[in-house]
Amino acid sequence: MPSNARATHLTRRGLLAAGGALGLGAALAACGTEKKDTAKTSEKSGSWEFKDDRGQVVKTKSVPKNIVAFTGTAAALKDFGIEVKGVFGPTYVEDPKTKEKKPDVQAGDLDITKVKVIGNVWGEFKIEEYLKLEPEVLITDMWEKNDLWYVPAEQKDKILKIAPSVALWAADKSMPEVLQRHADLAASLGADVKTKQILDDKARFEAAAERVRKAAKGKKDIKVLIGSGSPDLFYVSTPVRPTDTLYFKELGVNLVVPTKLDPAGWFEGLSWENVDKYAADIIMLDNRTSALQPEALKAKPTWAALPAVKAGQVIPRVTEPVYSYAKCAPLLEDLAKALENAKKVA
């Protein structure tokens, strides 16, 4: 589930988040994933083009080197072998006392001391710093058709005049398809996506998926709830929109489906007095810095009383995955382990 701030923002723009789950439905299909259809580099001119998930063909005179990307997208590209110059989105967390900056969970393996951070929170995008990077392309996620994630709406027109943009779906598509699209983009930018490391990571991802499938088949009675805590509400996400939970569903995981969704149809917000509305044996809890984590939730008596919490069956949920095989394989492994060890408690 999103943080309260995120939900508020997306309500204002008519989007409304659901644990990193947005978009208008699976009918808005992204373009094909074959590289011959989506990317092309001319051997003679060195020009570059890529067909993104908006259906737009993005063209540049040469393969972009000065890349600025949403933090999570940048982290995924790094795992596929492409480095970026600048990032925007949750990149670091600063200690209020020491001022030490530590990588945000969405930064993956990015070296936050070597990339220019032009925005670290929602609504922050420093255009002057962006210009200094001489960007050749801007790359980000897309939760809603034609909406660029973490590109402020009020600055969008100015930003998009500076450099062409690429948007990849981060909702309404199952995780394997989204992973392939990130690999396609990295390959178009010059990465070798068939290195031994990447092939090993992909094999690990596929093995982890089969492990989840097997565990889910053996634990059909175990209910898994996707949730996110805020000071005032506990959000229960619908599982049919996020790329990860959509894939979990495909693998047979028994996921809680909330019945009274917000007007946009993404999540149900429960007061802390009613947090026990849905029976759950495992809770997957939003791990983003914008959401309350287990230590903070201890102050909520109704949270502590939940069967899954008392049984120690709460695991982190990477609400906004870094879309590389290296980062997504552990997500499946952790879920498989939780299912394998889970007891019926609800």
Side-chain angles (χ1 to χ4, degrees):
M1 290 304 299
S3 68
N4 223 8
R6 185 197 216 189
T8 300
H9 163 77
L10 292 172
T11 299
R12 187 170 68 248
R13 292 171 64 182
L15 300 180
L16 286 173
L22 303 170
L24 275 182
L28 293 173
C31 299
T33 60
E34 291 185 11
K35 222 161 62 169
K36 65 181 181 181
D37 292 330
T38 60
K40 181 170 64 178
T41 301
S42 170
E43 293 182 4
K44 292 183 179 180
S45 67
S47 61
W48 175 84
E49 65 180 59
F50 182 83
K51 192 172 185 178
D52 76 356
D53 289 349
R54 295 170 295 184
Q56 295 185 14
V57 178
V58 184
K59 298 181 180 180
T60 59
K61 293 181 179 180
S62 60
V63 179
K65 299 299 180 185
N66 290 359
I67 301 169
V68 177
F70 169 66
T71 301
T73 311
L77 289 174
K78 179 178 177 60
D79 286 350
F80 281 117
I82 296 296
E83 300 283 350
V84 306
K85 289 191 69 174
V87 296
F88 55 95
T91 307
Y92 61 83
V93 179
E94 186 174 81
D95 187 299
K97 295 181 179 179
T98 66
K99 302 301 180 181
E100 180 184 2
K101 295 178 180 179
K102 295 183 178 180
D104 186 273
V105 293
Q106 295 186 59
D109 291 333
L110 289 177
D111 185 338
I112 63 172
T113 67
K114 292 184 178 180
V115 293
K116 180 66 177 180
V117 182
I118 63 172
N120 190 54
V121 297
W122 186 265
E124 182 180 56
F125 193 108
K126 301 173 184 175
I127 295 182
E128 290 185 0
E129 297 301 320
Y130 181 52
L131 281 166
K132 290 177 183 178
L133 293 172
E134 300 181 347
E136 296 172 88
V137 68
L138 179 148
I139 304 172
T140 189
D141 288 346
M142 182 171 64
W143 299 92
E144 171 71 37
K145 189 70 172 179
N146 297 325
D147 190 82
L148 304 184
W149 194 231
Y150 269 81
V151 175
E154 60 274 14
Q155 294 177 286
K156 181 179 177 181
D157 291 343
K158 290 182 179 179
I159 292 168
L160 296 186
K161 287 179 181 178
I162 297 169
S165 62
V166 169
L168 296 181
W169 277 117
D172 291 334
K173 303 293 176 184
S174 186
M175 184 174 276
E177 183 177 350
V178 176
L179 282 165
Q180 183 60 56
R181 290 292 287 147
H182 283 74
D184 290 344
L185 176 59
S188 80
L189 292 168
D192 180 359
V193 297
K194 294 186 177 180
T195 64
K196 183 179 184 303
Q197 183 62 61
I198 292 174
L199 292 177
D200 286 347
D201 291 337
K202 186 175 182 179
R204 179 184 173 188
F205 174 83
E206 291 170 345
E210 286 308 307
R211 184 179 169 190
V212 170
R213 192 190 304 276
K214 182 178 179 181
K217 187 176 181 180
K219 295 288 184 72
K220 292 181 179 180
D221 62 332
I222 297 296
K223 297 284 289 186
V224 180
L225 182 146
I226 311 299
S228 179
S230 75
D232 299 319
L233 295 173
F234 182 72
Y235 297 97
V236 180
S237 174
T238 181
V240 298
R241 300 294 176 131
T243 63
D244 59 337
T245 57
L246 180 56
Y247 193 40
F248 300 161
K249 190 171 183 289
E250 292 172 358
L251 293 173
V253 179
N254 186 358
L255 296 166
V256 170
V257 179
T259 57
K260 295 183 67 175
L261 299 178
D262 66 281
W266 307 115
F267 62 84
E268 180 174 357
L270 301 176
S271 67
W272 284 104
E273 290 77 12
N274 297 312
V275 73
D276 60 351
K277 177 177 178 178
Y278 297 104
D281 303 290
I282 295 174
I283 296 175
M284 296 188 73
L285 189 67
D286 187 346
N287 78 328
R288 292 174 298 174
T289 51
S290 58
L292 295 182
Q293 298 306 304
E295 188 63 31
L297 288 173
K298 287 180 180 179
K300 305 285 188 183
T302 51
W303 166 261
L306 293 174
V309 177
K310 290 195 291 185
Q313 294 181 172
V314 178
I315 64 173
R317 185 248 178 148
V318 181
T319 304
E320 292 187 47
V322 171
Y323 288 110
S324 70
Y325 296 108
K327 297 298 183 295
C328 288
L331 311 186
L332 294 175
E333 291 168 347
D334 290 345
L335 176 57
K337 182 179 179 181
L339 288 169
E340 291 162 353
N341 296 331
K343 296 179 180 179
K344 186 68 182 174
V345 295

